[in-house]
Amino acid sequence: MTEVLEGVELSIVVPVFNEEESVGPLVTRIRTAMAGFLEPWELILVDDGSTDRTLPNARKELSHQELRLKIIELQKNFGQTAAMQAGIDAAAGRLIVTLDGDLQNDPADIPHMVAAIEERGLDLLVGWRQNRRDALILRKIPSWCANLLIGKITGVKLHDYGCSLKIYRGSVIKQVKLMGEMHRFIPAWVAGVVPSSRIGEMPVTHHARHYGTSKYGISRTFRVVLDLLAVLFFMRYKARPGHFFGSIGLAAGGLSALILFYLAIDKFILGNDIGTRPMLIVGVMLFLSSIQLITTGILSEMMARAYFRDNEPTSYIVRQTFVREPPHA
């Protein structure tokens, strides 16, 4: 992992996948937006296994003399979360900005977000697309539902979890490990290492997509629900998974004990036949389930200790990196 280096104030991380028409205009817009930014900054493009001319078009931007640019080529398509993690790992800035590479996020918002995160004393500032330029049925309505559900379950109240335009303190986001498709839950993960009061949001500009096609569809709504369950589990039980499985196991065992005790009285004191009663099967199955859940909890505790003891493997593989440093760097 790259440490925060003295002299670089801001790192801008942009994962790109099959954005051959967007990557050039994106770099131009970022350069224009940051023209008045007086502190040293860098741009990191992460090519997530593109199959078009995204990488060659990005490498053309290395010719800009005044631009500190790093292009990371991943070995294959690992997904947006892994690409974002690769960029964050390579970032050297005290502050780190992430945004999409499809030109829907506006780089002109970045200087305002830098000022806002410092003024408000936050560790994470999330963009809020108040006037979102996306399809109502396929994008907006599922997003609104997901935002309400995520806020309710995680306790981090935001209007727009899905906006990729975010700014973090580098020392904080580098404590968070992103895996799977968990980039949409970054505020919830950050809330695991800092108080939720240090997470805020601000309105940002959102543009309609002009090039390429969206990488998301209505099917992601179902994946969000599954991912949210995983987030809830990790937020509450990451360090003590045995409590989760053990609690369910003890509840099942307690219910099994009550059922079997009642049947024992019915059999040995009242003299009734219980051999064909469904309650006996339920009681025995609950007892077996209790044992299985408790042993699963013990095994999960052992795995959790190994997880915290060993170094975690990265969720991506870098093929090569191209770097352009300005002459005065």
Side-chain angles (χ1 to χ4, degrees), residues 1 28 47 49 52 62 81 87 123 128 151 192 196 207 220 246 256 269 272 274 280 300 318:
M1 181 180 294
T28 299
D47 177 46
D52 60 4
L62 292 168
T81 302
D123 290 322
W128 173 15
S196 58
H207 300 287
R220 77 167 180 164
S256 170
I269 296 180
N272 296 323
I274 64 171
L280 177 62
S300 64
V318 176

Side-chain angles (χ1 to χ4, degrees), residues 49-78:
S50 297
T51 56
D52 60 4
R53 293 192 55 79
T54 297
L55 181 60
N57 290 351
R59 292 185 62 183
K60 293 178 182 178
E61 305 301 323
L62 292 168
S63 61
H64 295 295
Q65 296 295 318
E66 78 286 359
L67 182 63
R68 178 185 275 112
L69 174 62
K70 182 181 295 182
I71 302 173
I72 300 174
E73 180 191 3
L74 300 188
Q75 189 161 291
K76 71 178 189 69
N77 178 239
F78 290 95

